[in-house]
Amino acid sequence: MEIASGCDIMESVSTFARRRQRGVCILSGTGTVTNVTLKQPASPGAVVTLHGRFEILSLSGSFLPPPAPPAASGLTIYLAGGQGQVVGGSVVGPLLASGPVVIMAASFGNAAYERLPLEEDGVNSIGQQNQQQHQLMQDPNTSLFQGLPQNLLNSVQLPSEAYWGTGGRPPY
């Protein structure tokens, strides 16, 4: 897939999955992005906005079409800044391409969202399923796979010279 400069990568892939009723698994991506907002796994609830242009080092994620909940879709990205700093996390805002971004992805039909573990007896009332889904969606700390961190790859220690600005300082 190629995402044009100025387009939101998250929105482009999400729209593709929804319109074509296909699941999409992002394997990798190359190109540059600008002004990225990331959720940092090391600090619960920490969200940072990185100003300037960054080169994509790693891009992965998945998108499922409805009726899967929005929490089942998302991207994780690692970026290189102009001075060699590396930063990454879960994308929580727009991910704007600042040049053509090429994504290697697998797309598949009949995408299904399943809750695990399955009941052993195979019988679970609709009310219990709805209640469990509602409880999972209410808890922002619940990951897609219970008991595992939302992203196992995000245990990187960030360099102290990284710029976590909210404005005022020029980009790298």
Side-chain angles (χ1 to χ4, degrees):
M1 298 177 174
E2 182 175 323
I3 312 292
S5 182
C7 293
D8 182 349
I9 296 168
M10 292 270 296
E11 183 61 31
S12 297
V13 177
S14 179
T15 299
F16 174 86
R18 185 178 62 251
R19 286 186 181 168
R20 303 261 176 117
Q21 282 297 296
R22 299 185 65 79
V24 177
C25 180
I26 307 269
L27 305 172
S28 67
T30 59
T32 56
V33 294
T34 187
N35 300 339
V36 182
T37 303
L38 301 173
K39 181 174 127 187
Q40 295 293 294
S43 306
V47 175
V48 296
T49 299
L50 306 171
H51 300 282
R53 283 180 56 150
F54 295 86
E55 183 177 345
I56 297 172
L57 297 176
S58 172
L59 182 65
S60 62
S62 61
F63 292 84
L64 295 176
S73 297
L75 283 177
T76 298
I77 193 166
Y78 284 88
L79 304 164
Q83 297 179 347
Q85 70 276 27
V86 174
V87 64
S90 299
V91 178
V92 293
L95 183 60
L96 297 178
S98 64
V101 171
V102 176
I103 294 173
M104 179 62 68
S107 125
F108 45 94
N110 298 324
Y113 180 78
E114 301 284 343
R115 292 204 186 274
L116 302 177
L118 298 174
E119 294 283 323
E120 286 189 31
D121 61 1
V123 178
N124 192 355
S125 72
I126 299 295
Q128 288 175 330
Q129 287 177 351
N130 289 340
Q131 182 180 13
Q132 288 172 349
Q133 288 175 351
H134 182 71
Q135 288 171 346
L136 286 173
M137 297 309 292
Q138 293 294 326
D139 183 4
N141 297 320
T142 301
S143 67
L144 180 61
F145 300 100
Q146 293 180 359
L148 293 177
Q150 186 172 3
N151 187 332
L152 296 174
L153 300 175
N154 282 341
S155 58
V156 175
Q157 183 67 32
L158 299 174
S160 60
E161 70 274 4
Y163 171 50
W164 311 116
T166 56
R169 184 173 161 185
Y172 285 113

